[in-house]
Amino acid sequence: MTIFDELKARGLLAQLTDEEEIKELINNGKATFYIGFDPTADSLHVGHFMALCLMKRLQMAGNKPIVLIGGGTAMIGDPSGRSDMRTMMTKETIEHNCECFKKQMSRFIDFSDDKALMVNNADWLMNLNYIEVLRDVGAHFSVNRMLAAECYKQRMEKGLSFLEFNYMIMQSYDFFRLFQDYGCNMQFGGDDQWSNMLGGTELIRRKLGKDAYAMTITLLLNSEGKKMGKTQKGAVWLDPNKTSPFEFYQYWRNVADADVLKCIRMLTFLPLEEIDKMDSWEGSQLNQAKEILAYELTKLVHGEEEANKAQEGARALFSTGNAADMPEAELTEEDFTDGKIDILTVLVKAGLVPSKSEARRAVQQGGVAVEGEKVADIYAEYEKSAFAEGMVVRRGKKNFKKVIFK
């Protein structure tokens, strides 16, 4: 099976501008491709997973990845999928986040011996002359076509700033510069980036002529991948200081039955023949599939040792309610009233529910246990001393926290 066929079989490719040309390039290791990452935090999260795994697959097939860090575009902010404008970031914050990204990406991408590049679009965007941009770049864009793009249409009613309106032009110019400076002949991006990416392909052809070719592919990154990175408590980070390997493992162990095989196919490096055999799995076999998914992805991000520890801890947790690496939540003096705290507050403080109303429903529905004992009383209270060694609180079958007062 060729790498192109594998990408399609894994469900990664959504839209392509020239399938035969793209197939020729990546199957023969001739693609120099880029994916962009805006450094809006100091860690990548699992919503970036699909892009990172794709880059790794293509590099293993002999193609050259370019990681484009959006140090310049992050100063503007991508309007795609947002209902309001992003918070402005300082140059120092962006530079710090870029360094964090490179360290984490090195687990997926081999940057040695010029096998991959990491470049920052601040290197060219920050030095552009406004009049020069209007004449040399802006002249190639139709405002009518830009306003028809989905990423802008969804913001028009609530208001789209001129600052954000320029994002498509900046992203398109990125591809133009990468094509000229590094021979980049292919770009990948999420399905909400299609208009921006086509803008880059068109800019190259308009400025350099029809003989200059550049390919565009989108993958199901945002509709499938980005939602993977979110929970009711926020993002699931690749940084172990933000999301521990145990919590990371637990996140994937708890994916929905309907999503587990899709995630295995898209995100792991298990052979497709092995995955295809799982298509008929159901019932308890899906729990086995979830363990496979959680283990493989934890190993990919945190290494085999941490993956083994997380798996052993999770199995111990499910069987006995105790695990050495169980995620913890810490209570403070202010959480107690007259030396006591009620179960609803405990659940909220532990991050097991987003609100007291949901905590109340969980207790009333019989889904809450403390130290293995079901809690039926929504007014149940606990002394400080009960948390000295850590109290194991469970919501549902799979969500645990050790709650501690120090």
Side-chain angles (χ1 to χ4, degrees):
M1 179 180 289
T2 66
I3 182 62
F4 183 86
D5 290 337
E6 181 177 355
L7 295 182
K8 292 196 76 171
R10 290 184 180 273
L12 292 171
L13 303 183
Q15 299 181 76
L16 304 88
T17 51
D18 189 331
E19 182 168 329
E20 290 306 312
E21 189 67 43
I22 290 167
K23 188 185 298 185
E24 166 69 17
L25 288 172
I26 66 174
N27 285 345
N28 292 289
K30 296 178 181 179
T32 298
F33 67 97
Y34 96 90
I35 299 180
F37 298 81
D38 275 350
T40 53
D42 59 1
S43 172
L44 298 164
H45 57 71
V46 299
H48 296 112
F49 229 58
M50 196 177 295
L52 294 170
C53 291
L54 178 76
M55 298 182 95
K56 182 178 177 71
R57 293 183 205 280
L58 287 171
Q59 187 180 48
M60 290 169 63
N63 299 286
K64 184 173 182 176
I66 298 178
V67 174
L68 179 66
I69 298 295
T73 41
M75 300 291 286
I76 296 176
D78 183 1
S80 301
R82 297 185 61 84
S83 59
D84 54 11
M85 194 167 73
R86 291 185 186 274
T87 303
M88 293 289 187
M89 300 174 65
T90 66
K91 184 178 179 181
E92 292 72 23
T93 298
I94 291 171
E95 288 176 352
H96 170 72
N97 293 350
C98 289
E99 288 300 314
C100 295
F101 276 24
K102 186 169 185 178
K103 182 178 179 181
Q104 292 177 352
M105 287 177 176
S106 295
R107 294 197 66 91
F108 295 83
I109 303 165
D110 182 3
F111 289 99
S112 67
D113 303 321
D114 201 39
K115 294 174 186 171
L117 297 175
M118 176 174 282
V119 297
N120 190 331
N121 64 14
D123 293 343
W124 54 80
L125 293 180
M126 299 295 282
N127 298 319
L128 287 175
N129 176 282
Y130 185 62
I131 299 299
E132 181 182 341
V133 173
L134 291 178
R135 288 175 59 87
D136 293 346
V137 182
H140 298 288
F141 286 82
S142 162
V143 171
N144 290 349
R145 288 181 62 184
M146 291 174 72
L147 291 176
E150 192 62 36
C151 61
Y152 289 145
K153 283 168 62 178
Q154 62 188 0
R155 285 289 304 280
M156 289 302 291
E157 290 185 8
K158 292 189 175 181
L160 175 72
S161 72
F162 183 70
L163 179 73
E164 294 173 293
F165 187 65
N166 281 271
Y167 192 90
M168 181 186 292
I169 296 176
M170 296 296 95
Q171 184 172 332
S172 299
Y173 186 70
D174 283 344
F175 193 22
F176 174 76
R177 286 297 299 262
L178 291 170
F179 180 85
Q180 280 201 310
D181 299 350
Y182 301 99
C184 180
N185 54 17
M186 192 176 295
Q187 58 179 332
F188 287 77
D191 57 354
D192 65 346
Q193 297 292 314
W194 184 243
S195 297
N196 295 348
M197 295 167 68
L198 288 179
T201 301
E202 187 64 20
L203 180 62
I204 290 172
R205 288 174 176 164
R206 282 176 175 269
K207 286 185 67 66
L208 302 180
K210 293 182 179 179
D211 291 337
Y213 68 90
M215 301 298 138
T216 306
I217 302 180
T218 68
L219 56 145
L220 291 173
L221 174 60
N222 289 285
S223 62
E224 298 291 344
K226 279 192 174 179
K227 72 180 182 183
M228 295 175 185
K230 301 293 183 180
T231 69
Q232 63 183 9
K233 294 172 287 182
V236 177
W237 304 101
L238 305 195
D239 183 344
N241 296 315
K242 289 178 173 287
T243 300
S244 71
F246 182 86
E247 291 175 297
F248 187 85
Y249 179 97
Q250 284 291 87
Y251 172 77
W252 294 108
R253 176 63 180 78
N254 293 337
V255 299
D257 290 356
D259 293 334
V260 59
L261 292 181
K262 180 165 51 179
C263 289
I264 289 176
R265 187 167 277 109
M266 287 180 168
L267 303 178
T268 76
F269 286 79
L270 295 175
L272 282 168
E273 296 81 4
E274 183 178 336
I275 299 171
D276 289 341
K277 293 177 183 177
M278 301 179 191
D279 282 337
S280 60
W281 286 11
E282 55 186 26
S284 61
Q285 288 179 306
L286 289 178
N287 288 328
Q288 182 183 346
K290 292 178 185 181
E291 280 199 344
I292 292 171
L293 171 68
Y295 180 83
E296 290 296 324
L297 297 189
T298 306
K299 181 173 70 172
L300 184 62
V301 175
H302 299 295
E304 188 170 3
E305 182 179 352
E306 290 295 338
N308 288 330
K309 287 169 58 179
Q311 186 171 70
E312 291 167 6
R315 287 174 175 173
L317 186 59
F318 293 144
S319 61
T320 67
N322 287 293
D325 295 324
M326 187 186 303
E328 297 181 353
E330 192 169 317
L331 299 177
T332 66
E333 186 70 42
E334 291 72 26
D335 296 324
F336 292 85
T337 302
D338 297 329
K340 296 181 179 180
I341 185 171
D342 64 88
I343 185 60
L344 304 186
T345 303
V346 171
L347 289 167
V348 173
K349 292 293 181 180
L352 293 170
V353 293
S355 65
K356 284 194 175 183
S357 61
E358 189 160 334
R360 184 179 295 105
R361 282 194 295 272
V363 173
Q364 291 172 335
Q365 293 169 2
V368 175
V370 171
E371 293 294 321
E373 296 291 328
K374 184 178 292 187
V375 179
D377 183 5
I378 62 172
Y379 300 106
E381 292 185 323
Y382 305 91
E383 303 277 350
K384 287 181 186 176
S385 58
F387 302 94
E389 300 298 324
M391 175 188 283
V392 177
V393 182
R394 173 177 62 81
R395 182 203 174 193
K397 294 182 178 180
K398 303 173 184 177
N399 297 306
F400 293 79
K401 278 287 181 71
K402 182 181 286 187
V403 184
I404 298 175
F405 174 69
K406 295 181 180 180

